[in-house]
Amino acid sequence: MFSWLKKDTVPSSPDELVLDPDNIPAHIAIIMDGNGRWAQKRHLPRVAGHKQGMNTVKTIAIAASDLGVKVLTLYAFSTENWKRPEDEVNYLMKLPVDFFDTFVPDLIKNNVRVNVMGYIDKLPKQTQKAVYDAMDDTKDCTGMVLNFALNYGSRAEITTAVTEIAKEVAAGKLDPDAITDDMIGQHLMTANLGEYADPDLIIRTSGEERISNFLLWQIAYSEFVFMTPHWPEFTPELLQEAVYTYQHRKRRFGGLKNK
Ligand code: FPP
């Protein structure tokens, strides 16, 4: 237990795992990895892992909202995931349809607003409809934003932003010397998250320790927590442990003082 915590921050029992309510990461982003391995370990087809992973999304979305998280971003399908076998891709494209069909009422009950970032227009029509309907149905919710990265890739996102900015320069509307960090941020898919665009905490499950083309610009000062359980077995308690770890980090943002 707590194997991912630094020795001096390991609580001696789970009862000690008390979170500081004033230091909940406003934006948590999760790379939900290990669905396939979870299924293979149980001699199940890989898609059974994705199905169980979808159930975990339901539990963790509510747990994060209950913790007071402002934005929960979940990496559900990358621009590189199209390389997977057709059957698996088709299954992954149907998951948002099933998820929103069954879960939007609970999201509304919990005041959670759905946002989807990614190249939505390249998704199958049925998936696009599910996504736009979910965003529309929850548009008046004022609590946590449940932000799915769907057909999302950070290099593509940055390339799109650079192209847009270059066009403004070419049209004589923008002086290249006036380009700022903030302006680049305004052209990224997280722009509508406002002050919460950059994640405070990134979690990756399943023991892999890499970033896989996820939010490359936005994670400049994020805290990373890598955890060994596979996504289908991730729990609200594990989420709390990740937040506990986050709360024991010293964030300096390049300066000298803890923020
Ligand atoms: C990575 O595990 C997981 C994915 C590529 C898909 C993640 C999708 C879900 C958890 C369901 C999303 C739900 C909604 C509502 C959109 P992997 O398949 O790469 O696992 P492996 O590394 O063990 O093979």
Side-chain angles (χ1 to χ4, degrees), residues 32-38 40 46 49-51 53-54 57 75-78 81 84 88 92 95-96 99-100 148 150 206 208 210 230-231:
M32 309 180 287
D33 196 10
N35 291 351
R37 277 163 287 165
W38 179 89
Q40 275 158 359
R46 290 177 54 79
H50 296 316
K51 186 171 184 196
M54 180 185 79
V57 169
Y75 204 5
F77 193 89
S78 77
N81 285 150
R84 295 189 175 208
E88 185 172 341
L92 285 168
L95 273 184
F99 178 84
F100 293 127
F148 285 99
L150 200 55
S206 92
E208 305 293 344
R210 58 177 170 270
H230 296 312
W231 177 251

PDB file of all heavy atoms in Angstrom, residues 32-38 40 46 49-51 53-54 57 75-78 81 84 88 92 95-96 99-100 148 150 206 208 210 230-231, ligand 1:
ATOM      1  N   MET A  32      -5.880   6.972 -18.376  1.00  0.00           N
ATOM      2  CA  MET A  32      -6.550   5.759 -17.865  1.00  0.00           C
ATOM      3  C   MET A  32      -5.949   4.550 -18.583  1.00  0.00           C
ATOM      4  O   MET A  32      -6.468   4.101 -19.590  1.00  0.00           O
ATOM      5  CB  MET A  32      -8.053   5.849 -18.149  1.00  0.00           C
ATOM      6  CG  MET A  32      -8.699   7.140 -17.681  1.00  0.00           C
ATOM      7  SD  MET A  32     -10.470   7.202 -18.022  1.00  0.00           S
ATOM      8  CE  MET A  32     -10.519   7.445 -19.792  1.00  0.00           C
ATOM      9  N   ASP A  33      -4.869   4.018 -18.042  1.00  0.00           N
ATOM     10  CA  ASP A  33      -4.146   2.961 -18.753  1.00  0.00           C
ATOM     11  C   ASP A  33      -4.357   1.605 -18.066  1.00  0.00           C
ATOM     12  O   ASP A  33      -4.606   1.546 -16.861  1.00  0.00           O
ATOM     13  CB  ASP A  33      -2.654   3.327 -18.781  1.00  0.00           C
ATOM     14  CG  ASP A  33      -1.894   2.519 -19.819  1.00  0.00           C
ATOM     15  OD1 ASP A  33      -2.526   1.829 -20.647  1.00  0.00           O
ATOM     16  OD2 ASP A  33      -0.648   2.583 -19.808  1.00  0.00           O
ATOM     17  N   GLY A  34      -4.233   0.546 -18.855  1.00  0.00           N
ATOM     18  CA  GLY A  34      -4.227  -0.808 -18.288  1.00  0.00           C
ATOM     19  C   GLY A  34      -5.517  -1.586 -18.483  1.00  0.00           C
ATOM     20  O   GLY A  34      -5.662  -2.684 -17.936  1.00  0.00           O
ATOM     21  N   ASN A  35      -6.431  -1.058 -19.274  1.00  0.00           N
ATOM     22  CA  ASN A  35      -7.695  -1.783 -19.505  1.00  0.00           C
ATOM     23  C   ASN A  35      -7.436  -3.158 -20.123  1.00  0.00           C
ATOM     24  O   ASN A  35      -8.021  -4.160 -19.710  1.00  0.00           O
ATOM     25  CB  ASN A  35      -8.606  -1.006 -20.466  1.00  0.00           C
ATOM     26  CG  ASN A  35      -9.137   0.268 -19.863  1.00  0.00           C
ATOM     27  OD1 ASN A  35      -8.962   0.509 -18.678  1.00  0.00           O
ATOM     28  ND2 ASN A  35      -9.783   1.082 -20.673  1.00  0.00           N
ATOM     29  N   GLY A  36      -6.560  -3.187 -21.145  1.00  0.00           N
ATOM     30  CA  GLY A  36      -6.273  -4.441 -21.857  1.00  0.00           C
ATOM     31  C   GLY A  36      -5.635  -5.469 -20.940  1.00  0.00           C
ATOM     32  O   GLY A  36      -6.042  -6.633 -20.907  1.00  0.00           O
ATOM     33  N   ARG A  37      -4.640  -5.006 -20.173  1.00  0.00           N
ATOM     34  CA  ARG A  37      -3.944  -5.944 -19.269  1.00  0.00           C
ATOM     35  C   ARG A  37      -4.872  -6.446 -18.168  1.00  0.00           C
ATOM     36  O   ARG A  37      -4.813  -7.611 -17.775  1.00  0.00           O
ATOM     37  CB  ARG A  37      -2.701  -5.272 -18.665  1.00  0.00           C
ATOM     38  CG  ARG A  37      -1.499  -5.333 -19.582  1.00  0.00           C
ATOM     39  CD  ARG A  37      -0.436  -4.363 -19.184  1.00  0.00           C
ATOM     40  NE  ARG A  37      -0.850  -3.008 -19.512  1.00  0.00           N
ATOM     41  CZ  ARG A  37      -0.265  -1.909 -19.037  1.00  0.00           C
ATOM     42  NH1 ARG A  37       0.713  -2.018 -18.162  1.00  0.00           N
ATOM     43  NH2 ARG A  37      -0.679  -0.731 -19.404  1.00  0.00           N
ATOM     44  N   TRP A  38      -5.753  -5.594 -17.690  1.00  0.00           N
ATOM     45  CA  TRP A  38      -6.725  -6.012 -16.668  1.00  0.00           C
ATOM     46  C   TRP A  38      -7.576  -7.159 -17.223  1.00  0.00           C
ATOM     47  O   TRP A  38      -7.812  -8.160 -16.526  1.00  0.00           O
ATOM     48  CB  TRP A  38      -7.622  -4.833 -16.295  1.00  0.00           C
ATOM     49  CG  TRP A  38      -8.676  -5.144 -15.274  1.00  0.00           C
ATOM     50  CD1 TRP A  38      -8.547  -5.059 -13.914  1.00  0.00           C
ATOM     51  CD2 TRP A  38     -10.012  -5.603 -15.532  1.00  0.00           C
ATOM     52  NE1 TRP A  38      -9.730  -5.436 -13.311  1.00  0.00           N
ATOM     53  CE2 TRP A  38     -10.647  -5.772 -14.279  1.00  0.00           C
ATOM     54  CE3 TRP A  38     -10.729  -5.892 -16.690  1.00  0.00           C
ATOM     55  CZ2 TRP A  38     -11.962  -6.219 -14.158  1.00  0.00           C
ATOM     56  CZ3 TRP A  38     -12.042  -6.322 -16.573  1.00  0.00           C
ATOM     57  CH2 TRP A  38     -12.641  -6.489 -15.322  1.00  0.00           C
ATOM     58  N   GLN A  40      -6.848  -9.160 -19.905  1.00  0.00           N
ATOM     59  CA  GLN A  40      -6.032 -10.337 -20.236  1.00  0.00           C
ATOM     60  C   GLN A  40      -5.733 -11.176 -18.994  1.00  0.00           C
ATOM     61  O   GLN A  40      -5.782 -12.406 -19.035  1.00  0.00           O
ATOM     62  CB  GLN A  40      -4.732  -9.909 -20.918  1.00  0.00           C
ATOM     63  CG  GLN A  40      -4.922  -9.720 -22.425  1.00  0.00           C
ATOM     64  CD  GLN A  40      -3.873  -8.805 -23.057  1.00  0.00           C
ATOM     65  OE1 GLN A  40      -2.983  -8.284 -22.373  1.00  0.00           O
ATOM     66  NE2 GLN A  40      -3.985  -8.612 -24.358  1.00  0.00           N
ATOM     67  N   ARG A  46      -9.999  -7.905 -24.625  1.00  0.00           N
ATOM     68  CA  ARG A  46      -9.550  -6.568 -24.233  1.00  0.00           C
ATOM     69  C   ARG A  46     -10.718  -5.606 -24.009  1.00  0.00           C
ATOM     70  O   ARG A  46     -10.702  -4.773 -23.103  1.00  0.00           O
ATOM     71  CB  ARG A  46      -8.629  -5.972 -25.316  1.00  0.00           C
ATOM     72  CG  ARG A  46      -7.278  -6.636 -25.439  1.00  0.00           C
ATOM     73  CD  ARG A  46      -6.489  -6.003 -26.587  1.00  0.00           C
ATOM     74  NE  ARG A  46      -6.412  -4.557 -26.440  1.00  0.00           N
ATOM     75  CZ  ARG A  46      -5.578  -3.919 -25.628  1.00  0.00           C
ATOM     76  NH1 ARG A  46      -4.715  -4.607 -24.908  1.00  0.00           N
ATOM     77  NH2 ARG A  46      -5.577  -2.603 -25.550  1.00  0.00           N
ATOM     78  N   GLY A  49     -12.132  -5.044 -20.677  1.00  0.00           N
ATOM     79  CA  GLY A  49     -11.389  -4.081 -19.849  1.00  0.00           C
ATOM     80  C   GLY A  49     -11.886  -2.664 -20.096  1.00  0.00           C
ATOM     81  O   GLY A  49     -12.013  -1.865 -19.159  1.00  0.00           O
ATOM     82  N   HIS A  50     -12.186  -2.350 -21.353  1.00  0.00           N
ATOM     83  CA  HIS A  50     -12.698  -1.000 -21.647  1.00  0.00           C
ATOM     84  C   HIS A  50     -14.079  -0.803 -21.015  1.00  0.00           C
ATOM     85  O   HIS A  50     -14.402   0.271 -20.521  1.00  0.00           O
ATOM     86  CB  HIS A  50     -12.770  -0.778 -23.163  1.00  0.00           C
ATOM     87  CG  HIS A  50     -11.419  -0.810 -23.830  1.00  0.00           C
ATOM     88  ND1 HIS A  50     -10.327  -0.167 -23.303  1.00  0.00           N
ATOM     89  CD2 HIS A  50     -10.984  -1.415 -24.981  1.00  0.00           C
ATOM     90  CE1 HIS A  50      -9.274  -0.364 -24.096  1.00  0.00           C
ATOM     91  NE2 HIS A  50      -9.642  -1.121 -25.112  1.00  0.00           N
ATOM     92  N   LYS A  51     -14.892  -1.885 -21.056  1.00  0.00           N
ATOM     93  CA  LYS A  51     -16.234  -1.768 -20.464  1.00  0.00           C
ATOM     94  C   LYS A  51     -16.130  -1.509 -18.956  1.00  0.00           C
ATOM     95  O   LYS A  51     -16.811  -0.628 -18.410  1.00  0.00           O
ATOM     96  CB  LYS A  51     -17.025  -3.051 -20.732  1.00  0.00           C
ATOM     97  CG  LYS A  51     -18.446  -2.946 -20.282  1.00  0.00           C
ATOM     98  CD  LYS A  51     -19.280  -4.100 -20.718  1.00  0.00           C
ATOM     99  CE  LYS A  51     -20.711  -3.841 -20.307  1.00  0.00           C
ATOM    100  NZ  LYS A  51     -21.520  -5.034 -20.341  1.00  0.00           N
ATOM    101  N   GLY A  53     -13.601  -0.286 -17.527  1.00  0.00           N
ATOM    102  CA  GLY A  53     -12.988   1.048 -17.428  1.00  0.00           C
ATOM    103  C   GLY A  53     -14.036   2.137 -17.487  1.00  0.00           C
ATOM    104  O   GLY A  53     -13.936   3.161 -16.800  1.00  0.00           O
ATOM    105  N   MET A  54     -15.062   1.928 -18.288  1.00  0.00           N
ATOM    106  CA  MET A  54     -16.144   2.915 -18.377  1.00  0.00           C
ATOM    107  C   MET A  54     -16.880   3.015 -17.025  1.00  0.00           C
ATOM    108  O   MET A  54     -17.236   4.104 -16.569  1.00  0.00           O
ATOM    109  CB  MET A  54     -17.137   2.530 -19.475  1.00  0.00           C
ATOM    110  CG  MET A  54     -18.263   3.514 -19.593  1.00  0.00           C
ATOM    111  SD  MET A  54     -19.508   3.010 -20.769  1.00  0.00           S
ATOM    112  CE  MET A  54     -20.413   1.808 -19.818  1.00  0.00           C
ATOM    113  N   VAL A  57     -14.932   5.102 -14.787  1.00  0.00           N
ATOM    114  CA  VAL A  57     -15.097   6.528 -15.089  1.00  0.00           C
ATOM    115  C   VAL A  57     -16.285   7.083 -14.298  1.00  0.00           C
ATOM    116  O   VAL A  57     -16.211   8.175 -13.715  1.00  0.00           O
ATOM    117  CB  VAL A  57     -15.304   6.757 -16.614  1.00  0.00           C
ATOM    118  CG1 VAL A  57     -15.742   8.186 -16.892  1.00  0.00           C
ATOM    119  CG2 VAL A  57     -14.014   6.442 -17.381  1.00  0.00           C
ATOM    120  N   TYR A  75      -8.312  10.984 -20.442  1.00  0.00           N
ATOM    121  CA  TYR A  75      -7.780  10.682 -21.782  1.00  0.00           C
ATOM    122  C   TYR A  75      -8.470   9.403 -22.265  1.00  0.00           C
ATOM    123  O   TYR A  75      -8.087   8.299 -21.891  1.00  0.00           O
ATOM    124  CB  TYR A  75      -6.276  10.462 -21.650  1.00  0.00           C
ATOM    125  CG  TYR A  75      -5.434  10.676 -22.884  1.00  0.00           C
ATOM    126  CD1 TYR A  75      -5.951  11.159 -24.077  1.00  0.00           C
ATOM    127  CD2 TYR A  75      -4.063  10.412 -22.836  1.00  0.00           C
ATOM    128  CE1 TYR A  75      -5.138  11.373 -25.176  1.00  0.00           C
ATOM    129  CE2 TYR A  75      -3.238  10.633 -23.936  1.00  0.00           C
ATOM    130  CZ  TYR A  75      -3.792  11.104 -25.102  1.00  0.00           C
ATOM    131  OH  TYR A  75      -2.982  11.316 -26.195  1.00  0.00           O
ATOM    132  N   ALA A  76      -9.511   9.563 -23.067  1.00  0.00           N
ATOM    133  CA  ALA A  76     -10.346   8.414 -23.444  1.00  0.00           C
ATOM    134  C   ALA A  76      -9.957   7.812 -24.788  1.00  0.00           C
ATOM    135  O   ALA A  76     -10.162   6.609 -25.015  1.00  0.00           O
ATOM    136  CB  ALA A  76     -11.813   8.840 -23.478  1.00  0.00           C
ATOM    137  N   PHE A  77      -9.417   8.625 -25.704  1.00  0.00           N
ATOM    138  CA  PHE A  77      -9.029   8.093 -27.023  1.00  0.00           C
ATOM    139  C   PHE A  77      -8.058   9.089 -27.650  1.00  0.00           C
ATOM    140  O   PHE A  77      -8.373  10.273 -27.781  1.00  0.00           O
ATOM    141  CB  PHE A  77     -10.267   7.928 -27.907  1.00  0.00           C
ATOM    142  CG  PHE A  77     -10.016   7.114 -29.160  1.00  0.00           C
ATOM    143  CD1 PHE A  77     -10.171   5.724 -29.158  1.00  0.00           C
ATOM    144  CD2 PHE A  77      -9.623   7.733 -30.336  1.00  0.00           C
ATOM    145  CE1 PHE A  77      -9.935   4.979 -30.300  1.00  0.00           C
ATOM    146  CE2 PHE A  77      -9.388   6.998 -31.491  1.00  0.00           C
ATOM    147  CZ  PHE A  77      -9.541   5.615 -31.478  1.00  0.00           C
ATOM    148  N   SER A  78      -6.885   8.588 -28.017  1.00  0.00           N
ATOM    149  CA  SER A  78      -5.881   9.502 -28.573  1.00  0.00           C
ATOM    150  C   SER A  78      -5.916   9.465 -30.100  1.00  0.00           C
ATOM    151  O   SER A  78      -6.461   8.527 -30.700  1.00  0.00           O
ATOM    152  CB  SER A  78      -4.488   9.113 -28.082  1.00  0.00           C
ATOM    153  OG  SER A  78      -4.020   7.991 -28.797  1.00  0.00           O
ATOM    154  N   ASN A  81      -4.724   6.216 -31.225  1.00  0.00           N
ATOM    155  CA  ASN A  81      -5.466   4.978 -30.937  1.00  0.00           C
ATOM    156  C   ASN A  81      -6.171   4.391 -32.163  1.00  0.00           C
ATOM    157  O   ASN A  81      -6.608   3.241 -32.134  1.00  0.00           O
ATOM    158  CB  ASN A  81      -6.478   5.186 -29.799  1.00  0.00           C
ATOM    159  CG  ASN A  81      -5.846   5.269 -28.428  1.00  0.00           C
ATOM    160  OD1 ASN A  81      -6.358   5.932 -27.520  1.00  0.00           O
ATOM    161  ND2 ASN A  81      -4.721   4.593 -28.228  1.00  0.00           N
ATOM    162  N   ARG A  84      -5.249   0.861 -33.536  1.00  0.00           N
ATOM    163  CA  ARG A  84      -5.668  -0.411 -32.905  1.00  0.00           C
ATOM    164  C   ARG A  84      -6.571  -1.208 -33.845  1.00  0.00           C
ATOM    165  O   ARG A  84      -7.117  -0.655 -34.796  1.00  0.00           O
ATOM    166  CB  ARG A  84      -6.400  -0.108 -31.591  1.00  0.00           C
ATOM    167  CG  ARG A  84      -5.456   0.520 -30.606  1.00  0.00           C
ATOM    168  CD  ARG A  84      -6.073   0.641 -29.241  1.00  0.00           C
ATOM    169  NE  ARG A  84      -5.064   1.138 -28.324  1.00  0.00           N
ATOM    170  CZ  ARG A  84      -5.029   0.895 -27.022  1.00  0.00           C
ATOM    171  NH1 ARG A  84      -5.961   0.184 -26.465  1.00  0.00           N
ATOM    172  NH2 ARG A  84      -4.063   1.380 -26.281  1.00  0.00           N
ATOM    173  N   GLU A  88     -11.688  -3.162 -31.899  1.00  0.00           N
ATOM    174  CA  GLU A  88     -11.449  -2.444 -30.642  1.00  0.00           C
ATOM    175  C   GLU A  88     -11.780  -0.958 -30.809  1.00  0.00           C
ATOM    176  O   GLU A  88     -12.409  -0.353 -29.928  1.00  0.00           O
ATOM    177  CB  GLU A  88      -9.995  -2.639 -30.190  1.00  0.00           C
ATOM    178  CG  GLU A  88      -9.746  -2.007 -28.823  1.00  0.00           C
ATOM    179  CD  GLU A  88      -8.375  -2.338 -28.230  1.00  0.00           C
ATOM    180  OE1 GLU A  88      -7.734  -3.310 -28.667  1.00  0.00           O
ATOM    181  OE2 GLU A  88      -7.969  -1.598 -27.309  1.00  0.00           O
ATOM    182  N   LEU A  92     -14.490   1.204 -28.751  1.00  0.00           N
ATOM    183  CA  LEU A  92     -14.148   2.432 -28.025  1.00  0.00           C
ATOM    184  C   LEU A  92     -15.004   3.612 -28.495  1.00  0.00           C
ATOM    185  O   LEU A  92     -15.301   4.521 -27.719  1.00  0.00           O
ATOM    186  CB  LEU A  92     -12.657   2.748 -28.201  1.00  0.00           C
ATOM    187  CG  LEU A  92     -11.713   1.857 -27.382  1.00  0.00           C
ATOM    188  CD1 LEU A  92     -10.263   2.041 -27.829  1.00  0.00           C
ATOM    189  CD2 LEU A  92     -11.842   2.160 -25.881  1.00  0.00           C
ATOM    190  N   LEU A  95     -18.394   3.416 -26.717  1.00  0.00           N
ATOM    191  CA  LEU A  95     -18.419   3.621 -25.260  1.00  0.00           C
ATOM    192  C   LEU A  95     -19.018   4.961 -24.839  1.00  0.00           C
ATOM    193  O   LEU A  95     -19.845   5.004 -23.919  1.00  0.00           O
ATOM    194  CB  LEU A  95     -17.008   3.481 -24.675  1.00  0.00           C
ATOM    195  CG  LEU A  95     -16.574   2.074 -24.310  1.00  0.00           C
ATOM    196  CD1 LEU A  95     -15.198   2.111 -23.652  1.00  0.00           C
ATOM    197  CD2 LEU A  95     -17.556   1.407 -23.355  1.00  0.00           C
ATOM    198  N   PRO A  96     -18.642   6.064 -25.500  1.00  0.00           N
ATOM    199  CA  PRO A  96     -19.245   7.340 -25.088  1.00  0.00           C
ATOM    200  C   PRO A  96     -20.764   7.325 -25.258  1.00  0.00           C
ATOM    201  O   PRO A  96     -21.488   7.940 -24.464  1.00  0.00           O
ATOM    202  CB  PRO A  96     -18.607   8.381 -26.024  1.00  0.00           C
ATOM    203  CG  PRO A  96     -17.352   7.749 -26.506  1.00  0.00           C
ATOM    204  CD  PRO A  96     -17.612   6.267 -26.543  1.00  0.00           C
ATOM    205  N   PHE A  99     -22.052   5.379 -22.339  1.00  0.00           N
ATOM    206  CA  PHE A  99     -21.770   6.131 -21.112  1.00  0.00           C
ATOM    207  C   PHE A  99     -22.772   7.267 -20.925  1.00  0.00           C
ATOM    208  O   PHE A  99     -23.413   7.395 -19.877  1.00  0.00           O
ATOM    209  CB  PHE A  99     -20.343   6.689 -21.171  1.00  0.00           C
ATOM    210  CG  PHE A  99     -19.964   7.523 -19.986  1.00  0.00           C
ATOM    211  CD1 PHE A  99     -19.501   6.936 -18.816  1.00  0.00           C
ATOM    212  CD2 PHE A  99     -20.047   8.913 -20.033  1.00  0.00           C
ATOM    213  CE1 PHE A  99     -19.141   7.707 -17.722  1.00  0.00           C
ATOM    214  CE2 PHE A  99     -19.693   9.685 -18.945  1.00  0.00           C
ATOM    215  CZ  PHE A  99     -19.240   9.088 -17.786  1.00  0.00           C
ATOM    216  N   PHE A 100     -22.933   8.081 -21.967  1.00  0.00           N
ATOM    217  CA  PHE A 100     -23.807   9.243 -21.831  1.00  0.00           C
ATOM    218  C   PHE A 100     -25.269   8.815 -21.776  1.00  0.00           C
ATOM    219  O   PHE A 100     -26.072   9.412 -21.062  1.00  0.00           O
ATOM    220  CB  PHE A 100     -23.549  10.258 -22.951  1.00  0.00           C
ATOM    221  CG  PHE A 100     -22.182  10.901 -22.850  1.00  0.00           C
ATOM    222  CD1 PHE A 100     -21.305  10.912 -23.927  1.00  0.00           C
ATOM    223  CD2 PHE A 100     -21.772  11.494 -21.662  1.00  0.00           C
ATOM    224  CE1 PHE A 100     -20.052  11.498 -23.820  1.00  0.00           C
ATOM    225  CE2 PHE A 100     -20.512  12.086 -21.549  1.00  0.00           C
ATOM    226  CZ  PHE A 100     -19.655  12.085 -22.632  1.00  0.00           C
ATOM    227  N   PHE A 148     -13.624  15.184 -21.349  1.00  0.00           N
ATOM    228  CA  PHE A 148     -13.072  14.012 -22.035  1.00  0.00           C
ATOM    229  C   PHE A 148     -12.148  14.454 -23.158  1.00  0.00           C
ATOM    230  O   PHE A 148     -12.505  15.319 -23.966  1.00  0.00           O
ATOM    231  CB  PHE A 148     -14.202  13.168 -22.641  1.00  0.00           C
ATOM    232  CG  PHE A 148     -14.951  12.374 -21.625  1.00  0.00           C
ATOM    233  CD1 PHE A 148     -16.169  12.823 -21.132  1.00  0.00           C
ATOM    234  CD2 PHE A 148     -14.444  11.170 -21.138  1.00  0.00           C
ATOM    235  CE1 PHE A 148     -16.862  12.096 -20.182  1.00  0.00           C
ATOM    236  CE2 PHE A 148     -15.125  10.435 -20.182  1.00  0.00           C
ATOM    237  CZ  PHE A 148     -16.342  10.905 -19.707  1.00  0.00           C
ATOM    238  N   LEU A 150     -10.997  13.160 -26.404  1.00  0.00           N
ATOM    239  CA  LEU A 150     -11.511  12.116 -27.309  1.00  0.00           C
ATOM    240  C   LEU A 150     -11.026  12.435 -28.718  1.00  0.00           C
ATOM    241  O   LEU A 150     -11.348  13.504 -29.250  1.00  0.00           O
ATOM    242  CB  LEU A 150     -13.040  12.156 -27.230  1.00  0.00           C
ATOM    243  CG  LEU A 150     -13.845  10.958 -27.674  1.00  0.00           C
ATOM    244  CD1 LEU A 150     -13.431   9.683 -26.958  1.00  0.00           C
ATOM    245  CD2 LEU A 150     -15.340  11.216 -27.424  1.00  0.00           C
ATOM    246  N   SER A 206      -1.583   1.912 -14.083  1.00  0.00           N
ATOM    247  CA  SER A 206      -1.024   0.687 -14.689  1.00  0.00           C
ATOM    248  C   SER A 206       0.490   0.600 -14.678  1.00  0.00           C
ATOM    249  O   SER A 206       1.059  -0.294 -15.301  1.00  0.00           O
ATOM    250  CB  SER A 206      -1.538   0.467 -16.120  1.00  0.00           C
ATOM    251  OG  SER A 206      -0.673   1.059 -17.072  1.00  0.00           O
ATOM    252  N   GLU A 208       2.815   2.356 -16.008  1.00  0.00           N
ATOM    253  CA  GLU A 208       3.613   2.970 -17.083  1.00  0.00           C
ATOM    254  C   GLU A 208       3.937   4.408 -16.674  1.00  0.00           C
ATOM    255  O   GLU A 208       3.102   5.092 -16.084  1.00  0.00           O
ATOM    256  CB  GLU A 208       2.820   3.002 -18.397  1.00  0.00           C
ATOM    257  CG  GLU A 208       2.282   1.664 -18.866  1.00  0.00           C
ATOM    258  CD  GLU A 208       3.372   0.693 -19.279  1.00  0.00           C
ATOM    259  OE1 GLU A 208       4.522   1.120 -19.493  1.00  0.00           O
ATOM    260  OE2 GLU A 208       3.072  -0.515 -19.357  1.00  0.00           O
ATOM    261  N   ARG A 210       4.935   7.368 -18.643  1.00  0.00           N
ATOM    262  CA  ARG A 210       5.160   8.245 -19.799  1.00  0.00           C
ATOM    263  C   ARG A 210       3.903   9.070 -20.028  1.00  0.00           C
ATOM    264  O   ARG A 210       2.851   8.794 -19.448  1.00  0.00           O
ATOM    265  CB  ARG A 210       5.538   7.439 -21.045  1.00  0.00           C
ATOM    266  CG  ARG A 210       4.507   6.406 -21.447  1.00  0.00           C
ATOM    267  CD  ARG A 210       4.880   5.674 -22.729  1.00  0.00           C
ATOM    268  NE  ARG A 210       3.971   4.553 -22.922  1.00  0.00           N
ATOM    269  CZ  ARG A 210       4.171   3.327 -22.461  1.00  0.00           C
ATOM    270  NH1 ARG A 210       5.288   3.035 -21.828  1.00  0.00           N
ATOM    271  NH2 ARG A 210       3.271   2.382 -22.624  1.00  0.00           N
ATOM    272  N   HIS A 230      -4.377  -1.117 -12.465  1.00  0.00           N
ATOM    273  CA  HIS A 230      -4.928  -0.852 -13.792  1.00  0.00           C
ATOM    274  C   HIS A 230      -6.205  -0.017 -13.654  1.00  0.00           C
ATOM    275  O   HIS A 230      -6.896  -0.077 -12.635  1.00  0.00           O
ATOM    276  CB  HIS A 230      -5.239  -2.173 -14.509  1.00  0.00           C
ATOM    277  CG  HIS A 230      -4.008  -2.992 -14.768  1.00  0.00           C
ATOM    278  ND1 HIS A 230      -2.868  -2.462 -15.325  1.00  0.00           N
ATOM    279  CD2 HIS A 230      -3.737  -4.310 -14.552  1.00  0.00           C
ATOM    280  CE1 HIS A 230      -1.951  -3.412 -15.436  1.00  0.00           C
ATOM    281  NE2 HIS A 230      -2.446  -4.537 -14.960  1.00  0.00           N
ATOM    282  N   TRP A 231      -6.534   0.726 -14.713  1.00  0.00           N
ATOM    283  CA  TRP A 231      -7.682   1.639 -14.623  1.00  0.00           C
ATOM    284  C   TRP A 231      -8.978   0.944 -14.167  1.00  0.00           C
ATOM    285  O   TRP A 231      -9.694   1.491 -13.307  1.00  0.00           O
ATOM    286  CB  TRP A 231      -7.888   2.403 -15.933  1.00  0.00           C
ATOM    287  CG  TRP A 231      -9.091   3.286 -15.870  1.00  0.00           C
ATOM    288  CD1 TRP A 231     -10.273   3.111 -16.524  1.00  0.00           C
ATOM    289  CD2 TRP A 231      -9.254   4.466 -15.060  1.00  0.00           C
ATOM    290  NE1 TRP A 231     -11.154   4.104 -16.188  1.00  0.00           N
ATOM    291  CE2 TRP A 231     -10.561   4.937 -15.286  1.00  0.00           C
ATOM    292  CE3 TRP A 231      -8.425   5.140 -14.150  1.00  0.00           C
ATOM    293  CZ2 TRP A 231     -11.050   6.085 -14.650  1.00  0.00           C
ATOM    294  CZ3 TRP A 231      -8.928   6.274 -13.513  1.00  0.00           C
ATOM    295  CH2 TRP A 231     -10.222   6.722 -13.771  1.00  0.00           C
TER     296      TRP A 231
HETATM  297  C1  FPP B   1      -5.775   2.423 -22.264  1.00  0.00           C
HETATM  298  O1  FPP B   1      -5.719   1.079 -21.875  1.00  0.00           O
HETATM  299  C2  FPP B   1      -7.161   2.819 -22.390  1.00  0.00           C
HETATM  300  C3  FPP B   1      -7.737   3.297 -23.518  1.00  0.00           C
HETATM  301  C4  FPP B   1      -7.007   3.502 -24.767  1.00  0.00           C
HETATM  302  C5  FPP B   1      -9.168   3.631 -23.545  1.00  0.00           C
HETATM  303  C6  FPP B   1      -9.656   4.287 -22.315  1.00  0.00           C
HETATM  304  C7  FPP B   1     -11.113   4.283 -22.293  1.00  0.00           C
HETATM  305  C8  FPP B   1     -11.842   4.050 -21.198  1.00  0.00           C
HETATM  306  C9  FPP B   1     -11.306   3.843 -19.868  1.00  0.00           C
HETATM  307  C10 FPP B   1     -13.291   4.107 -21.273  1.00  0.00           C
HETATM  308  C11 FPP B   1     -13.684   5.498 -21.576  1.00  0.00           C
HETATM  309  C12 FPP B   1     -15.046   5.757 -21.266  1.00  0.00           C
HETATM  310  C13 FPP B   1     -15.748   6.750 -21.830  1.00  0.00           C
HETATM  311  C14 FPP B   1     -16.987   7.124 -21.212  1.00  0.00           C
HETATM  312  C15 FPP B   1     -15.350   7.450 -23.059  1.00  0.00           C
HETATM  313  P1  FPP B   1      -5.071   0.042 -22.857  1.00  0.00           P
HETATM  314  O2  FPP B   1      -6.145  -0.532 -23.698  1.00  0.00           O
HETATM  315  O3  FPP B   1      -3.959   0.682 -23.623  1.00  0.00           O
HETATM  316  O4  FPP B   1      -4.532  -1.015 -21.851  1.00  0.00           O
HETATM  317  P2  FPP B   1      -3.209  -1.906 -22.002  1.00  0.00           P
HETATM  318  O5  FPP B   1      -2.051  -0.929 -21.999  1.00  0.00           O
HETATM  319  O6  FPP B   1      -3.251  -2.764 -20.798  1.00  0.00           O
HETATM  320  O7  FPP B   1      -3.338  -2.668 -23.288  1.00  0.00           O
END
